[in-house]
Tab-separated table of all heavy atoms in Angstrom:
chain	number	residue	atom	x	y	z
A	38	ILE	N	12.964	-25.224	9.590
A	38	ILE	CA	11.846	-25.549	8.726
A	38	ILE	C	10.670	-25.863	9.584
A	38	ILE	O	9.514	-25.385	9.171
A	38	ILE	CB	12.297	-26.899	7.891
A	38	ILE	CG1	13.545	-26.618	7.123
A	38	ILE	CG2	11.101	-27.301	7.006
A	38	ILE	CD1	13.510	-25.483	6.168
A	39	LEU	N	10.775	-26.600	10.595
A	39	LEU	CA	9.705	-26.853	11.465
A	39	LEU	C	10.169	-27.390	12.809
A	39	LEU	O	11.249	-27.892	12.928
A	39	LEU	CB	8.639	-27.849	10.888
A	39	LEU	CG	9.059	-29.305	10.691
A	39	LEU	CD1	8.824	-30.185	11.871
A	39	LEU	CD2	8.236	-29.854	9.488
A	40	ALA	N	9.331	-27.263	13.817
A	40	ALA	CA	9.767	-27.739	15.200
A	40	ALA	C	8.488	-27.902	16.045
A	40	ALA	O	7.490	-27.079	15.900
A	40	ALA	CB	10.724	-26.765	15.868
A	41	GLY	N	8.397	-28.879	16.808
A	41	GLY	CA	7.255	-29.130	17.706
A	41	GLY	C	7.384	-30.404	18.537
A	41	GLY	O	8.174	-31.242	18.175
A	42	PRO	N	6.521	-30.472	19.553
A	42	PRO	CA	6.574	-31.649	20.399
A	42	PRO	C	5.545	-32.722	19.900
A	42	PRO	O	4.625	-32.461	19.181
A	42	PRO	CB	6.140	-31.081	21.778
A	42	PRO	CG	5.104	-29.980	21.362
A	42	PRO	CD	5.726	-29.393	20.158
A	43	PHE	N	5.768	-33.925	20.487
A	43	PHE	CA	4.828	-35.059	20.326
A	43	PHE	C	4.014	-35.192	21.469
A	43	PHE	O	4.459	-35.606	22.528
A	43	PHE	CB	5.585	-36.375	20.039
A	43	PHE	CG	6.597	-36.394	18.922
A	43	PHE	CD1	7.909	-36.573	19.059
A	43	PHE	CD2	6.107	-36.203	17.621
A	43	PHE	CE1	8.779	-36.617	17.942
A	43	PHE	CE2	6.981	-36.229	16.506
A	43	PHE	CZ	8.303	-36.399	16.691
A	44	PRO	N	2.693	-34.815	21.457
A	44	PRO	CA	1.809	-34.935	22.633
A	44	PRO	C	1.695	-36.458	22.978
A	44	PRO	O	1.719	-37.329	22.103
A	44	PRO	CB	0.407	-34.428	22.103
A	44	PRO	CG	0.776	-33.503	20.982
A	44	PRO	CD	2.000	-34.144	20.337
A	45	ALA	N	1.635	-36.704	24.272
A	45	ALA	CA	1.509	-38.141	24.727
A	45	ALA	C	0.121	-38.684	24.494
A	45	ALA	O	-0.043	-39.927	24.588
A	45	ALA	CB	1.856	-38.158	26.256
A	46	VAL	N	-0.814	-37.824	24.314
A	46	VAL	CA	-2.243	-38.327	23.980
A	46	VAL	C	-2.715	-37.577	22.716
A	46	VAL	O	-2.050	-36.590	22.209
A	46	VAL	CB	-3.155	-38.027	25.153
A	46	VAL	CG1	-2.744	-38.820	26.353
A	46	VAL	CG2	-3.165	-36.535	25.567
A	47	ASP	N	-3.820	-38.030	22.180
A	47	ASP	CA	-4.336	-37.431	20.869
A	47	ASP	C	-4.986	-36.085	21.145
A	47	ASP	O	-6.195	-35.972	21.104
A	47	ASP	CB	-5.340	-38.454	20.323
A	47	ASP	CG	-5.723	-38.063	18.944
A	47	ASP	OD1	-5.101	-37.212	18.302
A	47	ASP	OD2	-6.672	-38.705	18.477
A	48	SER	N	-4.105	-35.100	21.465
A	48	SER	CA	-4.638	-33.733	21.745
A	48	SER	C	-3.520	-32.753	21.547
A	48	SER	O	-2.400	-33.005	21.856
A	48	SER	CB	-5.119	-33.707	23.175
A	48	SER	OG	-5.488	-32.348	23.440
A	49	ASN	N	-3.968	-31.565	20.974
A	49	ASN	CA	-2.863	-30.537	20.866
A	49	ASN	C	-2.456	-29.966	22.272
A	49	ASN	O	-1.416	-29.356	22.436
A	49	ASN	CB	-3.464	-29.374	20.031
A	49	ASN	CG	-3.348	-29.638	18.560
A	49	ASN	OD1	-2.476	-30.401	18.050
A	49	ASN	ND2	-4.287	-29.078	17.831
A	50	ASN	N	-3.414	-30.108	23.235
A	50	ASN	CA	-3.097	-29.705	24.599
A	50	ASN	C	-3.266	-30.881	25.577
A	50	ASN	O	-4.306	-31.091	26.111
A	50	ASN	CB	-4.108	-28.546	24.985
A	50	ASN	CG	-3.942	-27.381	24.123
A	50	ASN	OD1	-2.923	-26.793	24.011
A	50	ASN	ND2	-5.058	-26.962	23.465
A	51	PRO	N	-2.150	-31.631	25.683
A	51	PRO	CA	-2.256	-32.896	26.458
A	51	PRO	C	-2.286	-32.732	27.983
A	51	PRO	O	-2.416	-33.772	28.608
A	51	PRO	CB	-0.990	-33.672	26.052
A	51	PRO	CG	0.025	-32.554	25.751
A	51	PRO	CD	-0.812	-31.489	25.089
Side-chain angles (χ1 to χ4, degrees):
I38 305 303
L39 65 90
F43 300 119
V46 295
D47 190 13
S48 172
N49 281 330
N50 298 305

